[in-house]
Each structure stands twice: as structure tokens, then as C-alpha cells.
Amino acid sequence: MPKLKKINNPKKKSTRPSWEEYFLNIAEIVSSRSTCDRLHVGAVIVKNKAILSTGYNGSPRGLPHCDDIGHEIAGGHCVRTIHAEANALVQAARHGTAVDGATLFLTNSPCYDCFKMIVNAGIKEVIYENFYMSRYEASKKVLALAKKAQVKINCFKKKHA
């Protein structure tokens, strides 16, 4: 059998995305399933570089979608939908998938209520691409809660060509 010769091209840059970019790209695709046109959000729960669950913002299972019947607005926010991160956690629970110690990738940062669920689910790290100002103006408090709960939370900006 002939021996394979490895050829290195030092001038060629890798276009392969980092793991963070990879999972954030998947979260972006997941967000395209959103049924609330005010903001499409996607979530991907990952452990050991394997996807455990995904979620997007939308109406509860079997109920009408914002895209079909309009928004249910309270305090300037649509309350008809379940947030992407909550849907990802629910999907994992529904299918018996443990998420303790996992990382959550989000297209938008979690709101305060969802972050409390993230803490209780045992998620160890949250990586998001865009900051989201949620109802009650509590999104900034998420960072303080993350520190107290010892959950890493970081904004990751993808590299664009």
C-alpha cells in the first residue's frame, strides 16, 4: 500500500468555523422556525460537542401562532410565545435528555425568567450573539445572577468574511 504524503499549504487559511461559530450558526438556522415575526430566536443545547436539544420562540404546542393570528402584546413584548431557550429545555425534558453541565448557544441573550430556568436545569455556560432587552428591563440583571449562580455567560461575535 502506498504511503500517503501530507501536503501543507501555509498560505491557505482555514475557513472552518470554531465550535462556537458552528453552534451559533445552527442556532441561527433553528431560529428560522420561529413563529413570531417580532424576533426570531434560536437555541441549541450542547454537551461534549454533541447537540442535545434545540428550540425556537413560538406559541405553545397546538395553539395559534403570531404569524397566523397576530401578537399578544403586554408591556411592549409579545407574550404569546415561549422563548427559544425555554423550548429547548422543555424538549430535552420531554425526551428524557439530561442537560446538566451543558452549554447553551443562543442567537439572543436570555431574559431574566429564562435564565432562572437555565440555572435550575444545570446549564454551565451560555454563549449568545446579540443582547436582548427583555420585559421588566431585567436583562442586565442576568449578568449579576449568572455570577452568583456560577454560570458563565458570554457574548460571542462571529467573524464575517
Side-chain angles (χ1 to χ4, degrees), residues 97-155:
T97 303
V99 297
D100 192 40
T103 299
L104 174 61
F105 291 86
L106 291 163
T107 56
N108 295 77
S109 63
C111 73
Y112 196 71
D113 289 336
C114 286
F115 194 77
K116 291 183 283 184
M117 285 189 278
I118 290 165
V119 170
N120 278 359
I123 299 289
K124 67 171 182 163
E125 183 175 13
V126 175
I127 298 173
Y128 67 91
E129 190 170 9
N130 302 296
F131 182 77
Y132 169 68
M133 182 54 75
S134 68
R135 55 185 171 217
Y136 339 119
E137 304 296 312
S139 291
K140 293 177 185 173
K141 293 180 183 178
V142 167
L143 299 177
L145 180 58
K147 189 173 182 177
K148 287 179 188 174
Q150 298 179 344
V151 174
K152 294 179 192 173
I153 184 164
N154 293 298
C155 179

Side-chain angles (χ1 to χ4, degrees), residues 14-141:
S14 175
T15 57
R16 189 175 184 193
S18 67
W19 285 108
E20 292 84 2
E21 289 171 309
Y22 174 71
F23 290 120
L24 284 170
N25 286 341
I26 293 171
E28 186 69 33
I29 291 167
V30 170
S31 77
S32 70
R33 293 279 307 149
S34 172
T35 61
C36 182
D37 61 8
R38 288 175 51 89
L39 182 65
H40 289 199
V41 181
V44 179
I45 301 174
V46 175
K47 189 168 184 179
N48 299 323
K49 298 178 182 157
I51 295 172
L52 302 178
S53 183
T54 65
Y56 53 87
N57 56 320
S59 297
R61 184 182 301 273
L63 296 179
H65 301 293
C66 297
D67 288 354
D68 299 328
I69 64 168
H71 302 285
E72 186 178 340
I73 303 296
H77 295 271
C78 182
V79 295
R80 181 181 309 286
T81 62
I82 299 169
H83 288 187
E85 55 271 46
N87 264 332
L89 291 170
V90 168
Q91 285 301 321
R94 189 174 175 157
H95 295 284
T97 303
V99 297
D100 192 40
T103 299
L104 174 61
F105 291 86
L106 291 163
T107 56
N108 295 77
S109 63
C111 73
Y112 196 71
D113 289 336
C114 286
F115 194 77
K116 291 183 283 184
M117 285 189 278
I118 290 165
V119 170
N120 278 359
I123 299 289
K124 67 171 182 163
E125 183 175 13
V126 175
I127 298 173
Y128 67 91
E129 190 170 9
N130 302 296
F131 182 77
Y132 169 68
M133 182 54 75
S134 68
R135 55 185 171 217
Y136 339 119
E137 304 296 312
S139 291
K140 293 177 185 173
K141 293 180 183 178

